[in-house]
Each structure stands twice: as C-alpha cells, then as structure tokens.
Amino acid sequence: MRAALLTHVGEPLAMAELPMPHPGPRQVLIRVGACAVCRTDLHVVDGELPDPKLPLVPGHEIVGTVVEKGPEAGRFAIGERVGVPWLGWTCGVCEYCRSGHENLCERARFTGYQLDGGYAELTVADERYCFAIPERYGDVEAAPLLCAGLIGYRTLRMAGEAERLGIYGFGAAAHIVAQVARHQGRRLFAFTRPGDVGAQQFARSLGAEWAGDSTAPPPAPLDAALIFAPVGALVPLALAATGKGGTVVCGGIHMSDIPSFPYRLLWEERVVRSVANLTRQDAEEFLALAPVAGVRTETRTYPLAEANRALADLRGGALQGAAVLVP
Ligand SMILES: [Zn+2]
Ligand SMILES: [Zn+2]
C-alpha cells in the first residue's frame, strides 16, 4: 500500500510502498477515505514532540471503511464507516484511566505519533478507539471532526458556561468550535494574526460578532478565551482580554514559550489551563452534537502524494478551514 512516510524528523515526507498492515486482536483494517491534516502533524514532522515512532505514517483524523477484522473484533461490520482519532490506545488500569481521565493515561498511544496513522491507503486501528461517523457527512467533510472537532470541543467544554467567548487562531479547530459555540447561544469574538482580514471575515461568516487582531482589545471583557494558535505570546494577551474569574484555555499540544507577564493579569481569579488529548466520551458526545448543531466543515483536499504541500499550506497560514488528504 502507498503511504506518505516520515523517516527523519525535520525532513519532508516521502511516498513509500509499505507492506499491507494486518489487524491484530481487537483491531480493524480500514481503507482510508480521507485524512485531515492537523497542526500536531506539523509538530511531529518538525520534531517538536519527543520520540515519535520512526519511520512513521502520520495522520490522526482518519475516516474510512472497515475492510477486515482482526481476532475478537466485533464492534463494527465489514463495510461500515469509522473514524480514527488521536487517542489510539490506553492501558485501562492506571489511576488516570480508572478515574475517567484516559486522555492523561500514563501509557497512552497516539495515532500518527506512536502508531501509524492515516496518510496512507490503509491503516489498522483498535476498534475500541474508533467511532461511527454521522451519515450526513462525506468522508472529506467528516475528517476534520476527528481532531479539530473533538479536541476543539474538549477545549470549549473547559470554558464552562462562558457567554462571551474569545477564540485566538481561527484555523481548523476554531471554525468548528465557533459553530458549536453559536449553537449553544454563546457570543463569539475572534482574534487572528494582525491584519489577517481573510480569517477575520471567515470568522464573521461563522457567527463571530466581532473579529480583529490578536493584539486588539475586544469590545467587552471575555468570560473565557480559547487559544488554538501555537503562540505562547497569546496567553498574556488573552488574559488581558479576559474579565475577572475568566478562563484562558490552551487547546494545542505544543506552544512557543509564554513570555513573563505581570501578576495583575492573572489576579482576580483568572485561570490559565491546557487541554490534553481526548477521551472517548468527548468523541461520542461531539459526534452526536455536530450534526444537531449543524456543524459544517470547510475543507481543501489534496492527493495523498501532495501531503508535503498540505503541511506547507498549514504552516504558512494559507488555509481557510482544514486540509484533507485523499488517497
Ligand atoms: Zn492508563
Ligand atoms: Zn490533531
């Protein structure tokens, strides 16, 4: 099977012909229909995350069809459409797994990082971490739901009941979260790279009542801010834009260093927190909510062989919505 392979971090992916993967116990073999490109893939390729499996097939926003089942796999039928997210396996016995925090599992394994992912024609996945895909979405439309959607949703949940919601970095996750937030009746304020008028317009088209530069103050103090851009300097900016008792949630897996800032920005019970990975419950909840909330995804498709171009476009901020690879 053909795959886009990472052999050395810091180098471009190369197309390779790999042996056909075989599903092990509780695994399914999936013919990939679409795999979205996540910023985390860039962090993996660039070597910003420690110890990836090498060589590695990246990609953790996979939608495909079950074509073979391994021993004891019975959750999905042959021909059924499934999604594979970032969380690929957990131990089930550590204190985090036992307390409903499997996203923090001590021995968790992640798709497209420690496990081969979806930049390929075929992939295998543990069926216990796969999800049925709502029928109303095509493969390409559904792919960004699997990470931008799921982890975006977990990030939004950490904002609690916040009514005035700020979003910093209006990419793939933000464009989905914005729609859910509007569905929940929240007021939306979008912050982009200074001068990025296109992204600001995109945010307004998705229901933001205000969109402006990340360095600008919002018209009213935020109740919570979500940061999706991997830019540590946004943390003090978001704190300054947030009112008393407000929360700033960092939704990414990697960020540049956060500059020091005066304590008064945190004072008055403001909170800064991060979100790590996802639980299967997040996925079930979000995939049920997305069609009800009328979430639509904006995508740009690339042939699998052009994975490097998709990564470059994401890096360059040239995308509106999500890049999706089609084998
Ligand atoms: Zn565990
Ligand atoms: Zn991701």
Side-chain angles (χ1 to χ4, degrees):
M1 65 140 189
R2 274 165 21 102
L5 200 64
L6 176 71
T7 308
H8 301 284
V9 295
E11 289 180 13
L13 308 182
M15 290 305 293
E17 187 66 35
L18 300 182
M20 176 107 155
H22 285 290
R26 302 297 303 263
Q27 285 186 328
V28 286
L29 176 66
I30 297 163
R31 181 169 299 287
V32 177
C35 182
V37 176
C38 176
R39 183 164 291 279
T40 300
D41 301 343
L42 274 183
H43 297 317
V44 171
V45 169
D46 290 347
E48 285 165 335
L49 301 184
D51 306 324
K53 166 191 179 292
L54 287 176
L56 171 74
V57 180
H60 58 267
E61 303 187 82
I62 308 165
V63 177
T65 308
V66 175
V67 291
E68 194 187 323
K69 300 197 283 186
E72 298 155 57
R75 191 163 165 224
F76 299 102
I78 302 284
E80 201 165 336
R81 206 160 63 122
V82 295
V84 184
W86 171 245
L87 186 73
W89 184 86
T90 56
C91 77
V93 296
C94 73
E95 63 176 301
Y96 298 104
C97 282
R98 284 187 284 110
S99 61
H101 299 92
E102 65 179 359
N103 58 309
L104 302 177
C105 172
E106 298 279 15
R107 293 192 290 146
R109 302 178 76 190
F110 300 104
T111 312
Y113 181 32
Q114 287 122 354
L115 304 166
D116 279 334
Y119 287 17
E121 293 173 314
L122 295 158
T123 193
V124 290
D126 188 313
E127 64 170 6
R128 292 167 293 183
Y129 300 83
C130 296
F131 303 94
I133 297 295
E135 264 177 36
R136 68 169 276 174
Y137 297 107
D139 291 356
V140 168
E141 286 177 285
L145 301 178
L146 270 302
C147 185
L150 298 189
I151 295 184
Y153 173 70
R154 184 174 179 85
T155 308
L156 176 62
R157 275 212 297 119
M158 300 305 171
E161 300 294 305
E163 190 200 342
R164 286 189 301 273
L165 184 74
I167 297 185
Y168 286 76
F170 216 85
H175 99 287
I176 295 172
V177 169
Q179 297 173 68
V180 175
R182 288 296 299 136
H183 172 76
Q184 294 171 335
R186 302 178 198 250
R187 296 173 59 190
L188 196 61
F189 301 80
F191 299 80
T192 72
R193 274 185 245 225
D196 191 346
V197 181
Q200 291 170 11
Q201 217 157 30
F202 184 45
R204 278 191 214 99
S205 77
L206 293 170
E209 67 182 75
W210 178 91
D213 298 350
S214 56
T215 47
L222 305 171
D223 298 318
L226 315 182
I227 302 180
F228 291 115
V231 180
L234 290 173
V235 172
L237 283 173
L239 275 171
T242 302
K244 296 178 194 180
T247 302
V248 173
V249 191
C250 302
I253 193 169
H254 175 83
M255 206 179 223
S256 55
D257 286 355
I258 301 170
S260 73
F261 54 86
Y263 176 61
R264 66 175 165 77
L265 293 182
L266 186 62
W267 164 242
E268 294 169 327
E269 305 201 337
R270 291 176 185 83
V271 173
V272 177
R273 67 165 300 161
S274 67
V275 157
N277 314 316
L278 69 139
T279 66
R280 284 173 281 179
Q281 193 183 336
D282 294 327
E284 300 287 2
E285 278 179 31
F286 173 72
L287 290 170
L289 174 61
V292 176
V295 169
R296 299 167 61 136
T297 57
E298 180 116 349
T299 56
R300 187 190 295 176
T301 58
Y302 299 76
L304 176 59
E306 293 184 25
N308 288 316
R309 190 164 63 86
L311 288 168
D313 287 352
L314 177 59
R315 189 193 308 278
L319 286 162
Q320 207 156 75
V324 179
L325 299 180
V326 180

